Amino acid sequence: MDYEFRRNPITGLPLAIFSMEHEVLGRWFSEELAEDQTLCEQLHTAIVALQQGKLQEWRWVGHDLTLEMDSEQVRVFANILSDENPEETAEEGLSLYDAESAADCGLEDFQTALNSWCDYLAGH
């Protein structure tokens, strides 16, 4: 999972850019987490609790994206995906393309990206 962080040259807001298979993670970091230090701390606490077996799963529902974590993996997906019935929205013979709307990664990989994001925001 490749990623980089930079500032939007027009708005000055932090921007996370992730590799193609994980694009939605970039959206989650940029739009949902953004510069929310409180959420950063909640995520760190939840990850440690998951790793120690004190939690089985943890979920955070944002404006457009949801983050789900368990002791092994993290899943980020567009909220609209959980509301739709694929049989109703996909035409016959076509499958829903959701690669830009959902992604999974390992918990440790997510933890590394989260640490990097929080450090980036802190200016380290």
Side-chain angles (χ1 to χ4, degrees), residues 21-95:
E21 310 83 46
H22 299 99
E23 289 171 298
V24 72
L25 284 170
R27 279 189 51 218
W28 187 85
F29 276 93
S30 300
E31 298 170 14
E32 300 286 354
L33 178 56
E35 298 181 89
D36 188 341
Q37 292 298 323
T38 302
L39 183 53
C40 276
E41 292 171 16
Q42 290 174 349
L43 287 162
H44 285 297
T45 301
I47 289 170
V48 170
L50 288 165
Q51 291 170 329
Q52 294 175 347
K54 294 178 182 176
L55 276 179
Q56 295 298 313
E57 59 188 18
W58 191 86
R59 185 175 199 191
W60 184 85
V61 179
H63 296 288
D64 295 321
L65 301 168
T66 295
L67 172 85
E68 294 179 336
M69 299 189 296
D70 63 31
S71 62
E72 295 181 13
Q73 75 173 5
V74 173
R75 180 168 187 244
V76 173
F77 58 92
N79 293 343
I80 194 158
L81 291 180
S82 63
D83 295 336
E84 291 181 351
N85 182 349
E87 287 87 36
E88 293 175 7
T89 57
E91 292 183 28
E92 186 177 323
L94 298 176
S95 62

Side-chain angles (χ1 to χ4, degrees), residues 103-119:
D104 295 11
C105 69
L107 182 63
E108 290 180 11
D109 289 338
F110 180 79
Q111 183 178 29
T112 300
L114 177 64
N115 290 340
S116 296
W117 178 255
C118 294
D119 287 346

Side-chain angles (χ1 to χ4, degrees), residues 7-18:
R7 294 267 173 192
N8 181 314
I10 297 170
T11 64
L13 295 174
L15 184 62
I17 301 164
F18 278 69

